[in-house]
Structure formats: C-alpha cells, structure tokens
C-alpha cells in the first residue's frame, strides 16, 4: 500500500466516522426533543385530568360546596370560592405535602384554576396556575389555559395554551409553550355518578391533542413541534398511546415521531432522513 493510498484511506475513514458521528448527533437531538415533548404533553394533560377529577360528581362549580375530597383520596382536597352562582370562581386543588392518587402517582402542592363560567358551558375559560406543584418526579410552572369550544364536532373540544411552561426535575428543565386543541374522544358521557364503586366513569376517558408547540429541551436547545396525527392520551395510561408529531430542533433535521397503535408503553419510533430508530420516551 503506497503512502498516498494510505493517506487517502485514512482521510476516508475519518470522513466516514465524522459522518456517522454527525448522524448520531442529529438523531440524539431529535430524540431528546421528542422525549421531552412527550413528558410535557403528559404533564399538562394530567393537570386537565385533575381539574376534571375535582368535578367528577356531575355537578359544576356553581353547585359545589366550599370544600370536598377528590374521589378515591383522603388527603387531596378541592375548594371553591365564592360558593354559589356567581362567577368568576377559583378552584384550588390541594395535594398537601404529598398525596398518592388512584393512578399511583404522588402529587404535591396546589393547582389553582380560575373559571369565568361553568366548566361544562360552551365559551367558558379557565386559567390555571401552580403553587409548588409536582406530579410524580416533575415540578410544573407556567400558565395553562383552556376554553370550552362546545361539541360542534360531536365531541367536547377545548382550545388550550401553555405559556412560559416549565417542567423540571433534578437539575434539568424543559421550557414549553403550546397552542393545542383537545378533543374528549371517549368517556365524555360518564362521570363518578355513572359507576361510583368501580370508578370506571373516571378511567374510561380518552383525549386527543392536535396543534403546535415550541420550547427548549433539557439541554437548553430550542425546538419546534407540530402534531401531524392526533396525540392520544387515555386516562388509564401514563403515556401517549397513539399519534404522530414532527419535531425540529434548531439547526438540525426534522424527526417524525410515531407513538404506536394503542399500546400503553413507553416505546416510540422516530424517522430522521429516511432512517427509523426505536427509543424510550
């Protein structure tokens, strides 16, 4: 082998290594943004679930007493002020220093939601803030709002935004801003009064989300996201079970995420530049 050939071969190996290293970095950036986005979807969806849970007796806020316990809980309390017909009303869900829900998740702190009308009325909006609120391992902050858009599509829908959202754990945090539409795809006609003993009226709900989001991943790198096929979040699963999103880290190629076909697991796939990779959410 001549020195010239040896030199050319070495350059080719270096170039190939750099190419594959670059590909690996692109995929890694997409996977991090996709995984962090999945956490954000699930975390703020859980907030909606807790508000829904507080109103699961079939009564709206204008019919609730001053204080009551969340279903299947002896520690988490809900309070409303003022009591009676007048709006706006503030619903405070207080999990104290830690309360394990019927789903096995330990929550602490407070969710504070201010409603300008009854939760079930078209056009009613709620602004949700957090006071030292944690769900599982994550601490949430920011402003989460939703507006009841009625049932024009045959199912209840809500316009949602998350502004200056922060999901943090340990020394890491994800910044999250989202503009979404929530559809109550299944379980919208049942509540706690439908099956008090088995609680199936609370666990049969399925929501789908569409829309866009942006933020910074847990390594402070910015990204944008578009839901291309409705993201499905069942109440009886902690994870996204179906749907597709395109995630685009700044200065990197777009990855197309597929959450699967309905299984309750933490696995998904991502396609970047024609190659498909499995990853854990």
């Amino acid at each position: 082998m001549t020195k010239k050939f040896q030199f050319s071969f070495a350059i080719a190996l270096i170039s190939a290594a750099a190419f594959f290293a670059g590909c690996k970095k692109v995929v890694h950036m997409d996977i991090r943004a996709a995984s962090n986005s999945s956490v954000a979807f699930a975390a703020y969806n859980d907030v909606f679930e807790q508000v829904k849970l507080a109103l699961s007796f079939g009564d709206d806020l204008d019919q609730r007493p001053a204080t009551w316990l969340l279903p299947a809980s002896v520690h988490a309390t809900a309070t409303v002020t003022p009591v009676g017909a007048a709006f706006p009303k503030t619903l405070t869900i207080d999990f104290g220093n830690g309360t394990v829900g019927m789903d096995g998740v330990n929550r602490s702190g407070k969710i504070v939601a201010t409603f300008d009308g009854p939760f079930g009325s078209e056009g009613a909006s709620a602004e949700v803030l957090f006071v030292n609120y944690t769900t599982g391992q994550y601490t949430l902050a920011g402003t989460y709002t939703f507006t009841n858009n009625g049932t024009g599509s045959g199912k209840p829908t809500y316009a949602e935004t998350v502004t200056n959202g922060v999901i943090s754990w340990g020394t890491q945090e994800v910044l999250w801003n989202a503009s979404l539409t929530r559809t109550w795809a299944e379980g919208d006609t049942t509540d706690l009064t439908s099956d008090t003993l088995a609680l199936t009226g609370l666990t049969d709900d399925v929501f789908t989300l569409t829309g866009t989001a942006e933020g910074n991943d847990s390594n402070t790198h910015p990204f944008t996201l578009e839901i291309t096929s409705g993201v499905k979040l069942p109440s009886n699963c902690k994870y996204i079970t179906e749907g597709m999103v395109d995630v685009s880290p700044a200065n990197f190629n777009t990855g197309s995420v597929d959450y699967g076909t309905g299984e309750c697991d933490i696995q998904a796939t991502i396609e970047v530049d024609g190659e498909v990779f499995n990853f854990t959410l």
Side-chain angles (χ1 to χ4, degrees), residues 35 88 104 121 174 207 220 235:
S35 180
S121 298
V174 174
F207 299 98
T220 73
S235 292

Side-chain angles (χ1 to χ4, degrees), residues 59-85:
D59 299 329
D60 220 317
L61 284 175
D62 54 351
Q63 300 171 326
R64 300 301 301 156
T67 303
W68 64 98
L69 290 174
L70 260 66
S73 173
V74 295
H75 299 294
T77 60
T79 60
V80 62
T81 55
V83 174

Side-chain angles (χ1 to χ4, degrees), residues 99-144:
T99 299
V100 178
M102 61 183 183
D103 55 2
V105 176
N106 188 10
R107 300 174 181 84
S108 62
K110 299 177 182 180
I111 296 172
V112 182
T114 300
F115 289 79
D116 64 7
F119 175 72
S121 298
E122 184 172 355
S125 295
E127 179 180 88
V128 182
L129 302 175
F130 306 97
V131 180
N132 300 321
Y133 178 67
T134 66
T135 175
Q137 72 185 93
Y138 303 108
T139 299
L140 268 62
T143 302
Y144 169 48

Side-chain angles (χ1 to χ4, degrees), residues 15 29 39 54 56 63 70 81-82 84 92 102 110 124 128 135 150 172 198 206 235 241 253 275:
S15 299
M29 295 296 292
V39 169
S56 59
Q63 300 171 326
L70 260 66
T81 55
T92 301
M102 61 183 183
K110 299 177 182 180
V128 182
T135 175
Q172 295 182 298
V206 178
S235 292
T241 60
N253 295 346
E275 293 191 74

